Amino acid sequence: MMPSFFIAHGAPLLAIENNAYTEALNQLPGLLPRKPRAIVIFSAHWEAYDQMVGTMDTFPTIHDFGGFPQALYEIEYPAKGEREVADETIRLLQEAGIPVALNTTRGLDHGHWVVLRHIYPDADIPVVALSVNPNLTVKEQYQIGKALSPLRAKDVLILGSGGTVHNFSYMDLRESDSNTFEWAEQFEDWLQTTLTDWNVEDLANYRELAPHAEKAVPAYGTEHFVSLVYVMGAADDERTAKRLHMSIRYGSLSHTLWQFGDAK
């Protein structure tokens, strides 16, 4: 049985950085019981009304950002698609009554490849790309993840790429690793307790219950937070959560790595 993971993709620069967080990502394959057959990954940067499931023979790399060093635009992550796993993903969603569609034209955005190149730098694991819908309720997002839980027993690694504290209005880009805002830490502390207790009810009401939720997850940017909900739902059959890493960059940009379920 594969665990599922939430992985913060941070700023695009993370793709070429070496720090404690990228080291934690480098070590993630060692936490798995075996090499995955495929990776199913939700990206905060692919929003769609219906659940989209993407596969291609080889995914092109989308550089969906601007104003960064040229080295970032030269990165390619030529992951192969996996049509059989994509079809199985669609079947599971359809059986759960979830509107779903196949996409065979969209490449991997930086929410996908920034984290994947740290975990599997050789792009040697086939990928199925998934969209997110921030307009759904937390419970609906959780149910989508839950519908995909059977994939974990078929050696499919389910990942969610986004950010738990992600608000450009409060980031201090002059500061890299120091002067963390207290409110950001308080939100992460609340989230750690809520997820570890598997309190889906409180999570569904995080806007009212979590300290500084309006700063951590701005109303205009919930897509980064909801990736976590999908992959938590994928481990509903075990309901174990473990925060493997947490650090904060630029005052308030969280680098968090969460494992849901156990490796078996």
Side-chain angles (χ1 to χ4, degrees), residues 92-167:
L92 290 170
L93 292 168
Q94 288 175 333
E95 289 179 352
I98 296 163
V100 60
L102 178 68
N103 183 290
T104 58
T105 60
R106 189 182 190 276
L108 299 181
D109 60 58
H110 81 273
H112 296 117
W113 61 262
V114 164
V115 296
L116 288 176
R117 74 185 306 265
H118 280 295
I119 302 170
Y120 290 106
D122 296 329
D124 57 344
I125 307 294
V127 170
V128 175
L130 269 66
S131 64
V132 301
N133 184 354
N135 296 311
L136 297 178
T137 66
V138 166
K139 290 185 177 180
E140 289 171 328
Q141 293 152 354
Y142 185 95
Q143 290 301 314
I144 290 173
K146 183 178 178 180
L148 301 182
S149 179
L151 293 175
R152 296 174 45 235
K154 297 181 178 181
D155 289 343
V156 175
L157 177 62
I158 301 177
L159 305 179
S161 172
T164 43
V165 177
H166 188 280
N167 188 337

Side-chain angles (χ1 to χ4, degrees), residues 1-256:
M1 180 73 77
M2 289 284 173
S4 60
F5 294 87
F6 171 77
I7 305 170
H9 60 246
L13 282 171
L14 186 72
I16 56 175
E17 290 178 329
N18 293 296
N19 51 44
Y21 181 51
T22 61
E23 179 62 27
L25 298 183
N26 297 159
Q27 294 176 2
L28 191 149
L31 303 177
L32 305 179
R34 62 197 65 85
K35 189 174 183 178
R37 167 189 172 199
I39 297 171
V40 167
I41 178 169
F42 293 90
S43 171
H45 289 280
W46 187 10
E47 296 181 55
Y49 181 78
D50 288 341
Q51 180 62 57
M52 303 299 293
V53 177
T55 188
M56 301 180 71
D57 290 339
T58 300
F59 286 98
T61 303
I62 304 174
H63 302 91
D64 50 336
F65 44 76
F68 288 92
Q70 181 61 30
L72 285 179
Y73 302 95
E74 296 173 357
I75 292 174
E76 297 292 330
Y77 191 83
K80 304 294 184 183
E82 224 298 351
R83 184 58 185 261
E84 185 176 343
V85 174
D87 288 344
E88 176 72 358
T89 299
I90 290 172
R91 183 186 67 79
L92 290 170
L93 292 168
Q94 288 175 333
E95 289 179 352
I98 296 163
V100 60
L102 178 68
N103 183 290
T104 58
T105 60
R106 189 182 190 276
L108 299 181
D109 60 58
H110 81 273
H112 296 117
W113 61 262
V114 164
V115 296
L116 288 176
R117 74 185 306 265
H118 280 295
I119 302 170
Y120 290 106
D122 296 329
D124 57 344
I125 307 294
V127 170
V128 175
L130 269 66
S131 64
V132 301
N133 184 354
N135 296 311
L136 297 178
T137 66
V138 166
K139 290 185 177 180
E140 289 171 328
Q141 293 152 354
Y142 185 95
Q143 290 301 314
I144 290 173
K146 183 178 178 180
L148 301 182
S149 179
L151 293 175
R152 296 174 45 235
K154 297 181 178 181
D155 289 343
V156 175
L157 177 62
I158 301 177
L159 305 179
S161 172
T164 43
V165 177
H166 188 280
N167 188 337
F168 287 112
S169 298
Y170 290 95
M171 291 182 199
D172 184 354
L173 297 180
R174 299 167 301 177
E175 297 288 345
S176 179
D177 299 305
S178 59
N179 296 330
T180 298
F181 297 133
E182 185 176 359
W183 62 262
E185 291 185 335
Q186 290 175 353
F187 179 84
E188 290 291 357
D189 288 345
W190 179 89
L191 191 61
Q192 181 178 23
T193 299
T194 302
L195 298 185
T196 302
D197 291 345
W198 209 272
N199 192 332
V200 179
E201 193 65 36
D202 279 4
L203 183 64
N205 294 287
Y206 75 93
R207 289 219 164 272
E208 294 77 32
L209 298 178
H212 312 293
E214 74 287 351
K215 291 182 178 179
V217 188
Y220 62 82
T222 58
E223 73 284 348
H224 277 76
F225 184 78
V226 303
S227 296
L228 178 145
V229 181
Y230 288 103
V231 291
M232 182 182 183
D236 179 79
D237 54 341
E238 292 185 89
R239 299 196 168 198
T240 60
K242 183 189 306 181
R243 192 174 74 182
L244 303 178
H245 179 92
M246 199 283 282
S247 55
I248 295 179
R249 305 287 299 280
Y250 312 119
S252 65
L253 181 63
S254 290
H255 284 169
T256 49

